[in-house]
Amino acid sequence: MPKVLVARLPINLAEERAVRKLAGARHAPGDWIRRARIVVASWEGGSTKGIAAEVGCHPQTVREWLHRFNTNGLDGLGDRPGAGRRPRLTEDERSRIVAMARTRQPPGRLTRQSDGTLDAEQEGGPAHWTLDSLSEALQADGITVGRSQIRRILLAEGVWWRRTRSWTTSNDPEFVPKGRTSSGSAPIRRRTRQ
């Protein structure tokens, strides 16, 4: 015969009020409401089977939630962290990755000095960010992360790390792109099947 389990009495009036309010709530998470209803029904003298029928779950579920409430109080009605691998990067590290791609210049980018000359922070370093150069710079800063994870993070944040293609546009009014006529229209080219 299964052991009869009853919810412990509330520690104070505030805990009882919080559980009863949660049990009658309409705009709280449904699983929390159901668990609070289990506790309140137990306080009112309901049996495990009766509570299970009232709430719509198995009697063992009622026993487990009553045990969790008895052990942890109101916090025991919440979900525990799920199984699986914990995130390898903290939110701070993710923020540093995004900040580096957005704001910090690559070490090989030429910058104009006060005397008018061009100089790079690191001779031979990357002039623009690529996933590989970002990965190397982050590893130098102490964040071990691969290029594929950097790509996922930057895409999720909407950060553009790729180099712009300067050859696709021109500020020169006399510029005529390849394949265009002097009038500016593109010549008609037909595909031929082979």
Side-chain angles (χ1 to χ4, degrees), residues 175-181 186-187 189:
F175 177 73
V176 178
K178 276 187 168 179
R180 301 226 176 231
T181 62
R189 294 188 182 157

Side-chain angles (χ1 to χ4, degrees), residues 98-107 109 121 129 134 137-138 141:
V98 171
M100 181 177 284
R102 275 193 179 151
T103 59
R104 198 170 125 193
Q105 288 189 357
R109 176 171 278 173
E121 179 184 321
W129 286 128
L134 276 169
L138 288 165
D141 282 355

Side-chain angles (χ1 to χ4, degrees), residues 107-165:
R109 176 171 278 173
L110 294 174
T111 53
R112 191 164 302 279
Q113 304 300 315
S114 58
D115 63 353
T117 60
L118 292 174
D119 192 26
E121 179 184 321
Q122 179 184 28
E123 190 71 29
H128 55 85
W129 286 128
T130 63
L131 293 175
D132 289 327
S133 61
L134 276 169
S135 178
E136 289 171 11
L138 288 165
Q139 287 179 6
D141 282 355
I143 301 174
T144 305
V145 62
R147 58 173 294 176
S148 61
Q149 189 168 14
I150 293 172
R151 180 179 177 278
R152 284 191 302 271
I153 292 169
L154 295 180
L155 285 175
E157 293 292 326
V159 176
W160 193 257
W161 71 92
R162 297 178 183 104
R163 184 179 67 167
T164 57
R165 296 179 177 156

Side-chain angles (χ1 to χ4, degrees), residues 17-26 28-29 32-33 36-37 74 77:
R17 201 174 308 135
V19 172
R20 288 188 185 276
K21 183 177 179 181
L22 185 58
R26 292 182 180 269
W32 280 72
I33 294 171
R37 286 177 55 204
L74 187 60
L77 299 180

Side-chain angles (χ1 to χ4, degrees), residues 3-20:
K3 181 178 153 184
V4 176
L5 188 63
V6 179
R8 67 164 169 75
L9 293 176
I11 293 174
N12 54 29
L13 191 59
E15 184 182 52
E16 180 180 5
R17 201 174 308 135
V19 172
R20 288 188 185 276

